[in-house]
Amino acid sequence: MARTKIERLFTRGKTLLLAMDQGLEHGPKDFNIDTINPEHVLDIAIKGSYNGMILQKGIAEKYFENYRQKIPLIIKLNGKTNLVKGESYSSQNCSVKRAISLGAAAVGYTIYVGSTFEAKMFEEFGRIEEEAHEYGIPVIAWMYPRGAAIQDDLNTDILAYAARIGLELGADFIKMKYNHDLEGYKWVVKCAGKAKLLVAGGEKTSYENFLKEAYEAMQAGASGMAVGRNVWQSEKPLEITNALKLVVFEGKKPEQAIKYIRA
Ligand code: FBP
Protein backbone atom coordinates (compact mmCIF):
# COMPACT_ATOMS: atom_id res chain seq x y z
CA MET A 1 0.00 0.00 0.00
CA ALA A 2 1.32 3.44 -0.93
CA ARG A 3 2.08 5.89 1.89
CA THR A 4 -0.86 8.26 2.18
CA LYS A 5 0.20 11.78 1.25
CA ILE A 6 -1.70 13.89 3.69
CA GLU A 7 0.96 16.58 4.27
CA ARG A 8 0.20 18.43 1.05
CA LEU A 9 -3.11 19.54 2.49
CA PHE A 10 -1.54 21.21 5.53
CA THR A 11 0.11 24.48 6.50
CA ARG A 12 1.98 24.14 9.79
CA GLY A 13 -0.22 21.22 10.87
CA LYS A 14 -3.54 22.93 10.14
CA THR A 15 -5.73 23.14 7.09
CA LEU A 16 -8.34 25.38 5.51
CA LEU A 17 -10.36 23.90 2.65
CA LEU A 18 -12.92 25.62 0.46
CA ALA A 19 -16.02 23.62 -0.51
CA MET A 20 -18.19 24.21 -3.53
CA ASP A 21 -20.49 21.22 -3.92
CA GLN A 22 -23.57 23.11 -2.72
CA GLY A 23 -24.94 23.35 -6.29
CA LEU A 24 -25.69 19.66 -6.01
CA GLU A 25 -26.55 19.53 -2.32
CA HIS A 26 -28.74 22.65 -2.10
CA GLY A 27 -29.24 23.91 -5.66
CA PRO A 28 -28.52 27.26 -7.34
CA LYS A 29 -30.28 29.19 -4.56
CA ASP A 30 -26.95 29.25 -2.72
CA PHE A 31 -25.32 31.25 -5.54
CA ASN A 32 -25.67 34.71 -7.06
CA ILE A 33 -24.89 35.98 -10.55
CA ASP A 34 -21.14 35.95 -9.76
CA THR A 35 -20.75 32.80 -7.69
CA ILE A 36 -22.82 30.67 -10.07
CA ASN A 37 -19.69 30.74 -12.22
CA PRO A 38 -17.35 28.14 -10.65
CA GLU A 39 -14.32 30.15 -11.81
CA HIS A 40 -15.37 32.98 -9.51
CA VAL A 41 -15.19 30.68 -6.47
CA LEU A 42 -12.02 28.98 -7.72
CA ASP A 43 -10.38 32.41 -7.97
CA ILE A 44 -11.28 33.07 -4.32
CA ALA A 45 -9.65 29.75 -3.40
CA ILE A 46 -6.44 30.68 -5.24
CA LYS A 47 -6.25 34.28 -4.02
CA GLY A 48 -7.03 33.11 -0.49
CA SER A 49 -4.33 30.37 -0.69
CA TYR A 50 -6.69 27.65 0.56
CA ASN A 51 -5.12 24.26 1.23
CA GLY A 52 -7.55 22.55 -1.09
CA MET A 53 -10.70 22.97 -3.17
CA ILE A 54 -13.59 20.53 -2.79
CA LEU A 55 -15.58 19.94 -5.99
CA GLN A 56 -17.87 17.39 -7.55
CA LYS A 57 -16.36 15.76 -10.64
CA GLY A 58 -18.45 17.65 -13.23
CA ILE A 59 -17.11 21.02 -12.09
CA ALA A 60 -13.59 19.61 -11.89
CA GLU A 61 -13.80 18.24 -15.43
CA LYS A 62 -14.96 21.50 -16.96
CA TYR A 63 -13.28 24.16 -14.84
CA PHE A 64 -10.29 22.83 -12.94
CA GLU A 65 -7.71 22.34 -15.71
CA ASN A 66 -6.31 25.90 -15.43
CA TYR A 67 -6.10 25.63 -11.64
CA ARG A 68 -4.42 22.24 -11.51
CA GLN A 69 -0.95 23.50 -10.59
CA LYS A 70 -2.30 26.13 -8.21
CA ILE A 71 -4.32 24.32 -5.54
CA PRO A 72 -4.87 20.71 -4.43
CA LEU A 73 -8.15 19.24 -5.67
CA ILE A 74 -10.46 17.19 -3.47
CA ILE A 75 -13.17 15.34 -5.34
CA LYS A 76 -16.36 14.58 -3.49
CA LEU A 77 -17.30 11.09 -4.63
CA ASN A 78 -20.91 11.09 -3.52
CA GLY A 79 -23.72 13.59 -3.23
CA LYS A 80 -27.46 14.05 -3.09
CA THR A 81 -30.02 16.78 -3.65
CA ASN A 82 -32.36 18.21 -1.04
CA LEU A 83 -35.34 17.34 -3.27
CA VAL A 84 -35.68 13.77 -2.08
CA LYS A 85 -37.38 13.49 1.30
CA GLY A 86 -37.13 10.66 3.79
CA GLU A 87 -34.06 8.80 5.01
CA SER A 88 -30.80 10.26 3.76
CA TYR A 89 -28.62 8.38 1.31
CA SER A 90 -25.83 9.97 -0.67
CA SER A 91 -24.84 7.75 -3.57
CA GLN A 92 -21.42 7.46 -5.13
CA ASN A 93 -21.20 9.13 -8.54
CA CYS A 94 -17.44 9.10 -9.18
CA SER A 95 -14.74 6.45 -8.79
CA VAL A 96 -11.44 6.95 -7.01
CA LYS A 97 -9.70 6.20 -10.31
CA ARG A 98 -11.61 8.94 -12.11
CA ALA A 99 -10.90 11.40 -9.30
CA ILE A 100 -7.20 10.65 -9.58
CA SER A 101 -7.25 11.12 -13.34
CA LEU A 102 -8.78 14.55 -12.70
CA GLY A 103 -5.81 15.34 -10.44
CA ALA A 104 -7.37 14.71 -7.02
CA ALA A 105 -5.02 14.98 -4.04
CA ALA A 106 -7.78 13.55 -1.82
CA VAL A 107 -11.31 12.25 -2.07
CA GLY A 108 -14.38 12.86 0.07
CA TYR A 109 -17.52 10.94 0.91
CA THR A 110 -20.55 11.75 3.12
CA ILE A 111 -21.85 9.17 5.58
CA TYR A 112 -25.22 9.85 7.19
CA VAL A 113 -24.73 8.15 10.52
CA GLY A 114 -28.02 6.76 11.84
CA SER A 115 -29.79 6.69 8.47
CA THR A 116 -31.47 3.43 7.49
CA PHE A 117 -29.03 3.50 4.55
CA GLU A 118 -26.03 3.69 6.86
CA ALA A 119 -24.86 0.15 6.03
CA LYS A 120 -24.88 0.90 2.30
CA MET A 121 -22.77 4.02 2.86
CA PHE A 122 -20.34 2.10 5.09
CA GLU A 123 -19.90 -0.43 2.30
CA GLU A 124 -19.29 2.19 -0.39
CA PHE A 125 -16.99 4.12 1.90
CA GLY A 126 -15.05 0.93 2.73
CA ARG A 127 -14.30 0.30 -0.94
CA ILE A 128 -13.37 3.94 -1.53
CA GLU A 129 -11.08 4.06 1.50
CA GLU A 130 -9.19 0.93 0.45
CA GLU A 131 -8.79 2.08 -3.13
CA ALA A 132 -7.75 5.63 -2.21
CA HIS A 133 -5.16 4.34 0.22
CA GLU A 134 -3.83 1.92 -2.42
CA TYR A 135 -3.20 5.02 -4.55
CA GLY A 136 -1.74 6.86 -1.55
CA ILE A 137 -4.31 9.63 -1.31
CA PRO A 138 -6.21 10.61 1.84
CA VAL A 139 -9.92 10.23 2.41
CA ILE A 140 -12.17 12.83 4.00
CA ALA A 141 -15.38 11.53 5.55
CA TRP A 142 -18.22 14.01 6.03
CA MET A 143 -19.70 12.41 9.18
CA TYR A 144 -23.23 13.76 9.47
CA PRO A 145 -25.70 12.18 11.92
CA ARG A 146 -29.04 12.29 10.08
CA GLY A 147 -32.20 10.22 9.84
CA ALA A 148 -35.28 9.24 11.82
CA ALA A 149 -33.10 7.59 14.49
CA ILE A 150 -31.28 10.85 15.17
CA GLN A 151 -33.21 13.21 17.38
CA ASP A 152 -30.51 15.86 17.66
CA ASP A 153 -27.80 15.84 15.02
CA LEU A 154 -25.68 18.23 17.09
CA ASN A 155 -25.83 16.29 20.35
CA THR A 156 -22.29 15.95 21.67
CA ASP A 157 -22.50 12.18 22.27
CA ILE A 158 -23.90 11.63 18.79
CA LEU A 159 -21.14 13.74 17.23
CA ALA A 160 -18.56 11.86 19.30
CA TYR A 161 -19.99 8.56 18.03
CA ALA A 162 -19.92 9.80 14.43
CA ALA A 163 -16.31 10.95 14.82
CA ARG A 164 -15.31 7.56 16.22
CA ILE A 165 -17.04 5.76 13.36
CA GLY A 166 -15.02 7.86 10.91
CA LEU A 167 -11.80 6.74 12.62
CA GLU A 168 -12.90 3.10 12.73
CA LEU A 169 -13.77 3.14 9.04
CA GLY A 170 -10.37 4.48 8.02
CA ALA A 171 -10.96 8.18 7.33
CA ASP A 172 -7.88 10.41 7.40
CA PHE A 173 -10.02 13.50 7.93
CA ILE A 174 -13.42 13.74 9.53
CA LYS A 175 -15.51 16.70 8.54
CA MET A 176 -18.41 17.51 10.79
CA LYS A 177 -20.48 20.31 12.21
CA TYR A 178 -19.62 22.21 15.36
CA ASN A 179 -22.24 22.29 18.13
CA HIS A 180 -21.11 25.27 20.28
CA ASP A 181 -20.30 22.97 23.21
CA LEU A 182 -16.59 23.74 23.50
CA GLU A 183 -15.87 21.37 26.40
CA GLY A 184 -17.95 18.58 24.89
CA TYR A 185 -16.31 19.05 21.51
CA LYS A 186 -12.89 18.33 23.00
CA TRP A 187 -14.21 14.80 23.58
CA VAL A 188 -15.50 14.66 20.00
CA VAL A 189 -11.99 15.50 18.75
CA LYS A 190 -10.48 12.87 21.08
CA CYS A 191 -12.90 10.28 19.68
CA ALA A 192 -11.58 11.03 16.17
CA GLY A 193 -8.13 9.90 17.41
CA LYS A 194 -5.46 10.15 14.71
CA ALA A 195 -8.04 11.14 12.12
CA LYS A 196 -7.93 14.93 11.73
CA LEU A 197 -11.16 16.65 12.57
CA LEU A 198 -12.28 19.50 10.30
CA VAL A 199 -15.25 21.68 11.12
CA ALA A 200 -17.80 22.55 8.41
CA GLY A 201 -18.89 26.14 7.95
CA GLY A 202 -22.65 25.89 7.64
CA GLU A 203 -25.16 28.51 6.56
CA LYS A 204 -23.98 32.08 6.27
CA THR A 205 -23.90 33.88 9.57
CA SER A 206 -22.28 37.10 10.85
CA TYR A 207 -18.49 37.47 10.69
CA GLU A 208 -18.46 37.54 14.50
CA ASN A 209 -20.34 34.24 14.84
CA PHE A 210 -18.35 32.56 12.11
CA LEU A 211 -14.97 33.53 13.56
CA LYS A 212 -16.12 32.62 17.08
CA GLU A 213 -17.17 29.19 15.87
CA ALA A 214 -13.81 28.72 14.12
CA TYR A 215 -11.94 29.85 17.23
CA GLU A 216 -13.86 27.49 19.51
CA ALA A 217 -13.41 24.59 17.09
CA MET A 218 -9.66 25.18 17.05
CA GLN A 219 -9.60 25.51 20.84
CA ALA A 220 -11.36 22.15 21.03
CA GLY A 221 -8.51 20.61 19.03
CA ALA A 222 -9.82 20.63 15.47
CA SER A 223 -7.20 20.51 12.72
CA GLY A 224 -8.93 23.10 10.59
CA MET A 225 -12.06 24.03 8.72
CA ALA A 226 -13.72 23.06 5.45
CA VAL A 227 -15.98 25.98 4.63
CA GLY A 228 -18.09 27.24 1.77
CA ARG A 229 -21.02 29.62 2.04
CA ASN A 230 -19.60 31.79 4.82
CA VAL A 231 -16.73 32.64 2.49
CA TRP A 232 -18.03 32.81 -1.08
CA GLN A 233 -21.45 34.22 -0.11
CA SER A 234 -19.66 37.01 1.73
CA GLU A 235 -19.25 40.44 0.18
CA LYS A 236 -15.65 40.30 1.37
CA PRO A 237 -14.54 36.73 0.71
CA LEU A 238 -10.82 37.48 0.86
CA GLU A 239 -11.05 39.55 4.00
CA ILE A 240 -13.04 36.89 5.83
CA THR A 241 -10.53 34.34 4.52
CA ASN A 242 -7.64 36.33 5.96
CA ALA A 243 -9.42 36.71 9.29
CA LEU A 244 -10.18 32.99 9.33
CA LYS A 245 -6.55 32.16 8.60
CA LEU A 246 -5.46 34.22 11.59
CA VAL A 247 -7.78 32.16 13.78
CA VAL A 248 -6.98 28.74 12.28
CA PHE A 249 -3.24 29.06 11.68
CA GLU A 250 -2.19 31.61 14.29
CA GLY A 251 -4.69 30.99 17.08
CA LYS A 252 -5.80 34.64 17.10
CA LYS A 253 -8.99 35.44 19.00
CA PRO A 254 -12.06 36.34 16.92
CA GLU A 255 -12.11 39.91 18.23
CA GLN A 256 -8.51 40.38 17.04
CA ALA A 257 -9.09 38.69 13.68
CA ILE A 258 -12.24 40.64 12.87
CA LYS A 259 -10.25 43.90 12.83
CA TYR A 260 -8.83 42.73 9.49
CA ILE A 261 -12.27 42.96 7.90
CA ARG A 262 -12.72 46.55 6.81
CA ALA A 263 -16.05 48.19 7.63
P1 FBP B 1 -20.79 25.04 3.98
O1 FBP B 1 -19.61 25.64 4.70
O2 FBP B 1 -21.32 25.95 2.91
O3 FBP B 1 -21.85 24.57 4.94
O4 FBP B 1 -20.24 23.77 3.21
C1 FBP B 1 -19.83 22.61 3.89
C2 FBP B 1 -20.61 21.40 3.41
O5 FBP B 1 -20.16 20.22 4.04
C3 FBP B 1 -20.57 21.22 1.89
O6 FBP B 1 -19.50 20.43 1.48
C4 FBP B 1 -21.91 20.60 1.63
O7 FBP B 1 -22.42 20.97 0.40
C5 FBP B 1 -22.79 21.14 2.70
O8 FBP B 1 -21.98 21.53 3.77
C6 FBP B 1 -23.83 20.13 3.14
O9 FBP B 1 -24.53 20.61 4.25
P2 FBP B 1 -25.99 20.09 4.62
O10 FBP B 1 -26.04 18.63 4.27
O11 FBP B 1 -26.12 20.34 6.08
O12 FBP B 1 -26.93 20.89 3.81
Side-chain angles (χ1 to χ4, degrees), residues 137-202:
I137 64 164
V139 182
I140 307 177
W142 276 231
M143 299 303 293
Y144 284 9
R146 199 167 289 180
I150 305 293
Q151 264 131 42
D152 176 5
D153 65 334
L154 294 178
N155 174 281
T156 300
D157 291 337
I158 293 288
L159 287 176
Y161 196 176
R164 192 63 176 193
I165 295 167
L167 174 69
E168 304 247 1
L169 294 181
D172 302 290
F173 295 88
I174 289 165
K175 178 176 180 222
M176 60 197 322
K177 297 187 178 178
Y178 179 62
N179 67 350
H180 305 281
D181 170 13
L182 175 51
E183 287 312 308
Y185 215 78
K186 290 180 183 168
W187 173 242
V188 176
V189 174
K190 283 265 179 264
C191 291
K194 284 190 181 176
K196 311 278 183 197
L197 198 139
L198 308 181
V199 167

Side-chain angles (χ1 to χ4, degrees), residues 108-135:
Y109 184 96
T110 300
I111 297 177
Y112 293 114
V113 174
S115 158
T116 49
F117 298 110
E118 180 192 86
K120 211 166 160 184
M121 289 177 274
F122 281 8
E123 223 175 287
E124 273 181 12
F125 182 80
R127 279 197 297 273
I128 285 166
E129 181 270 328
E130 286 178 17
E131 208 182 333
H133 287 165
E134 288 290 336
Y135 281 109

Side-chain angles (χ1 to χ4, degrees), residues 19-22 25-26 30 54 76 80 112 142 144 146 175 177 200-203 226-230 232:
M20 189 189 45
D21 60 336
Q22 290 82 351
E25 299 287 332
H26 307 147
D30 278 5
I54 301 166
K76 185 77 196 311
K80 65 156 193 55
Y112 293 114
W142 276 231
Y144 284 9
R146 199 167 289 180
K175 178 176 180 222
K177 297 187 178 178
E203 266 178 45
V227 300
R229 290 165 288 177
N230 271 288
W232 46 255

Side-chain angles (χ1 to χ4, degrees), residues 16-20 38-55 64 67 70-73 227 231-232 237-238 241-242 245:
L16 197 52
L17 308 178
L18 192 64
M20 189 189 45
E39 283 165 351
H40 183 94
V41 177
L42 277 158
D43 286 339
I44 294 172
I46 303 300
K47 287 186 190 136
S49 303
Y50 278 82
N51 295 95
M53 181 78 217
I54 301 166
L55 300 174
F64 197 71
Y67 297 87
K70 298 179 183 158
I71 185 168
L73 171 66
V227 300
V231 170
W232 46 255
L238 295 177
T241 296
N242 287 337
K245 281 157 91 174

